[in-house]
Amino acid sequence: MPERTTPLNPGHPDDDWDSATDVEHPVQYESIVQNTTPEPTRQSSAALPPTRAGSDSGENTETDDHHQQIQHEKQTKLSGLPDTHRDYKLVEFAEGDPENPKNWSKAYKWYCTMVVAITCFAVAFCSSVITADVGSVAEEFGVSYEAALVPITVFVVGFGVGPMIFAPLSEVYGRQIIYASTLLVAVIFVIPCAVSKNIGTLIVCRLIDGIAFSAPMTLVGGTLADLWRNEERGVPMAAFSAAPFIGPAIGPLVGGFIADGAGWRWLYWIQLILSFVVWVMISFTVPETYAPTILARRAKKLRKSTGDPDHVTEADLDPRPFSERMGVFLIRPFQLLFREIIVLLISLYMSVLYGLLYMFFVAYPIVFEKRKGWSKSMAGLMFIPLAVGVVAAAFCAPWVNAHYLKMVKKHNGKPPAEVRLIPMMLSCWFIPIGLFIFAWTSYKRLIWVGPCLAGLPVGFGFIFLYNSANNYLVDSYQHQAASALAAKTFIRSFWGAATVLFTEQMYDRLNDQWATTLLAFISLACCLIPFLFWRYGARIRAKSKYAFGGDEDPALDSDVEKGRKEPHHDMEDLRRARSYVENP
């Protein structure tokens, strides 16, 4: 079995030792066996393979004694105690290793890709399908319309809370068990919603469903990064990126016909059917794809078969307990959110867009059902252009990726992070254009074509803005990027949840035209954000404590963060970020 012997020398004089940098990492998981024991050499996190996220896997140790032994030796190294030199055999993938997900057949990788993309679509569908008939829930339970909107709100709140929990857990236990367990919980708690006797049951169960359903949305990008190499990932990522936006657009469309024909409870039964199908598919047909978990299982088998406890993975060499790493993951997003202007403004921009998407679920019924007197099913058809815009943008993704690769070549392989803003600067105008059209064609006396087609440019702009924002955060905060993305997801979800509750009042007080116009002006103001960072982004990052330092410090490699004080914390964040977001 491919492995490599790597010395762990607790007596080395380097006091600023980093457990990850003490290991020589081969490119593309090449398998090397070193019989010599040279002094550990400091390397930057650039040596880490892009898709290998650090984990503290529960399967990495065969016995508690072995785990304690490794922890003791790591602490010995950190404390500078006398040398107790020991060679470890680092288990890694060999070139062409059939257990490496990147070496699976292209057909099977595409099957896994489509399963996780469909899962992502199903989750997004479940978030919006119940918006098709809020009024019937309010009438049956004898509550206000605003109270009947709360199940939608708490579901979106769960989307913001869940990733803070499931992302680090996936580094411990792998992706497959998180997919299977959380989707099973989600499936189970759909049933009480369908048979609920009061609004309280509906709210509590929808909150649990939102938290559980957030796991697939968190992990699916990492799964694609596990499967595909950078040069192969453009088309699969395009297929994935459309799913979270097509789902919310299709939900009200399908929900309208179901509500008209079978009643609001069947909006939950259809969620149960769809979520059960994807749970079966992803639990029983998609194996583990997370490299550290696969290697941890391999190391455990080697220790058992050979009786040699020296077979370890990189996770075994991380001295921090899981509780400490969990604390970092929970706290750092808020540090970045309130200390970094780039993270704050990009998060606010994405919050506006996310809130706008959920406002549509309330605004469309107001314009088409209340004002024009249409049925729920007919009003749901008006979401088709929004879905068409999303699909059209997804088809453009390979061209956007090809342009970025040209920019990479132009900048000798190290383009500035602001290159990621080019698609954002071009597509940001589609959102206010669509909103202005929706606003001033939504009069009751006018034909339906105007407000219907307004969704086309809005859907088209969503994809480009979403992907550009994610990639800009990753390139700007490489070692802290996962925390930056978590901050964005957290504030975005809470804002999206809040907008559902005040949209109807806003439309009643401002009228349909000026309420949408207000949103259009807000989105127009947000168009300044990418241009602001295009001009000043590099200066902002140069003064930042957390931002990616590039080659500014000749003493450090290109992926080493300026002024960092906790190296292995930073490298873990880089591994996690590259696992979550496509970053060619």
Side-chain angles (χ1 to χ4, degrees), residues 28-29 93-100 103 229:
Q28 298 295 335
Y29 295 101
F93 288 131
E95 184 176 355
D97 195 320
E99 291 187 18
N100 185 348
N103 295 327
R229 293 180 172 85

Side-chain angles (χ1 to χ4, degrees), residues 3 42 137 165 182 200 288 297 305 323 392 404 425 457 472 494 503 515 528 534 571 580:
E3 62 192 53
R42 176 172 298 282
V137 175
I165 303 170
T182 56
E288 180 61 61
R297 294 171 181 172
S305 62
S323 58
Y404 177 75
M425 291 189 291
Y472 182 56
F494 273 82
T503 300
L528 296 175
W534 176 262
M571 282 188 296
Y580 288 170

